[in-house]
Amino acid sequence: MGNVASASILWETFGTSVAPVPTDLIKAFCYKDDYIAFQTADDFKDGNAVIAAKDASGNILWSWHIWFTDQPQGQVYYNDAGTMMDRNLGATSATPGDVGALGLLYQWGRKDPFLGSSSISSSTLAKSTITWPSAVSSDSSNGTIAYAVANPTTFIKLNSSNSDWYYTGSSSTDNTRWSTSDKTKSIYDPCPAGWRVPDGGKNGVWSKAVGSSSYFDYSYDSTNEGMNISGKFGSASTIWYPASGYRNNGDGSLLHVGLSGLCWSASPKSDDAYGLGFDYSGYVYPSAYDYRAYGRTVRCLQE
């Protein structure tokens, strides 16, 4: 990272149809003596923000997601699959039917989030303190880690060569964006300290928990728009997965809220990546996979 000259708040959101105003979430912040510090509002509110470090020309060198929520709880999954968070990354609630449970959306391998919906049943973007830039094409200039880091609010479209936002000019891609070659957490993993994006596929956390990578039927809650997969993944009375929808890989638009959900894993599958998928029909896919340029939810595994 280059020489830091200043810090700024890139955006803030409650994850609702109302945008924060200054001091709603972050009362004050500063950069001094190589540290960035911030102070929460006197009246603590739930939400999300991103703070960036910039050089003397105003270029973003790095950014950090600030998550304002009550302490997420761990839920032990069956068959020694691991301990998962009780909510999606960026969610301010784990309560069925609460819009705060939807969480934020991530392109696979990127550390910075995009807004989800302000409704559990319609694809209406939550309000924030900025106007987000238009999505850009994936090419040798924009489809790079360096561009993604320097432009954390810009959605990068898929390219036809590898169906990824990450551009190589061929069908090849990079598989170590969230998990390094030795399977350890990378610096681009968006989960907080002590947590990581889980493994997926037939040996991943969701397949281990149910004892199979095959899809199964489960009850979809059409009132609260999601699934309580208690009794299948673990013994907790509520293991809530909301139908948060996704960001389209072609233009970054929000779609399918209240209809489907997919939580990314850190595990690649050819030019796709594995995750947990489910939809309103009642099907659950513990070893689903999708193109990496989609914006999907993340649920963290305790390290």
Side-chain angles (χ1 to χ4, degrees):
M1 191 163 69
N3 294 323
V4 178
S6 65
S8 68
I9 301 171
L10 294 187
W11 57 265
E12 298 172 274
T13 185
F14 294 135
T16 68
S17 58
V18 177
V21 298
T23 75
D24 269 346
L25 290 173
I26 297 176
K27 180 179 180 180
F29 70 98
C30 68
Y31 169 69
K32 186 177 181 180
D33 298 330
D34 295 329
Y35 286 91
I36 295 173
F38 68 93
Q39 180 181 356
T40 60
D42 294 334
D43 179 16
F44 183 89
K45 296 181 176 68
D46 291 335
N48 291 273
V50 169
I51 292 180
K54 296 182 176 181
D55 65 16
S57 299
N59 300 308
I60 294 173
L61 301 172
W62 197 258
S63 51
W64 294 267
H65 169 214
I66 312 299
W67 189 8
F68 300 87
T69 186
D70 59 305
Q71 182 67 43
Q73 301 300 304
Q75 296 181 322
V76 178
Y77 280 24
Y78 291 142
N79 301 320
D80 294 321
T83 299
M84 295 287 284
M85 270 192 188
D86 65 350
R87 67 194 66 192
N88 291 338
L89 185 54
T92 57
S93 168
T95 303
D98 188 341
V99 69
L102 296 180
L104 298 169
L105 300 172
Y106 293 80
Q107 291 191 279
W108 192 89
R110 294 187 69 175
K111 67 182 183 63
D112 294 289
F114 293 89
L115 298 177
S117 184
S118 63
S119 167
I120 65 169
S121 57
S122 65
S123 301
T124 307
L125 277 175
K127 298 291 187 181
S128 72
T129 51
I130 65 165
T131 299
W132 291 67
S134 299
V136 299
S137 298
S138 172
D139 55 31
S140 58
S141 297
N142 299 336
T144 66
I145 296 292
Y147 181 89
V149 169
N151 298 272
T153 60
T154 301
F155 193 94
I156 305 172
K157 304 175 188 178
L158 90 166
N159 68 77
S160 58
S161 298
N162 60 8
S163 301
D164 200 340
W165 65 266
Y166 182 88
Y167 183 82
T168 63
S170 69
S171 59
S172 67
T173 190
D174 174 77
N175 292 327
T176 60
R177 279 166 269 173
W178 275 345
S179 178
T180 64
S181 56
D182 62 357
K183 300 301 182 181
T184 59
K185 178 179 178 177
S186 83
I187 61 172
Y188 306 108
D189 183 310
C191 292
W195 303 81
R196 67 175 180 88
V197 180
D199 297 327
K202 65 179 181 180
N203 296 315
V205 60
W206 298 290
S207 295
K208 283 183 179 179
V210 300
S212 171
S213 60
S214 300
Y215 78 87
F216 58 88
D217 294 331
Y218 213 73
S219 176
Y220 182 83
D221 184 341
S222 59
T223 298
N224 294 312
E225 303 292 6
M227 285 187 168
N228 177 13
I229 316 184
S230 172
K232 197 73 175 179
F233 286 158
S235 61
S237 59
T238 303
I239 302 178
W240 181 246
Y241 280 84
S244 300
Y246 59 87
R247 289 296 195 105
N248 183 270
N249 61 10
D251 60 8
S253 60
L254 181 64
L255 298 171
H256 278 213
V257 176
L259 297 175
S260 67
L262 185 142
C263 286
W264 282 129
S265 80
S267 302
K269 181 191 184 298
S270 185
D271 57 357
D272 302 322
Y274 282 110
L276 167 75
F278 62 94
D279 60 39
Y280 69 95
S281 66
Y283 290 130
V284 181
Y285 302 85
S287 189
Y289 52 90
D290 214 342
Y291 292 149
R292 304 180 192 192
Y294 279 110
R296 300 288 195 176
T297 57
V298 169
R299 185 161 299 201
C300 302
L301 172 73
Q302 194 169 57
E303 290 189 284

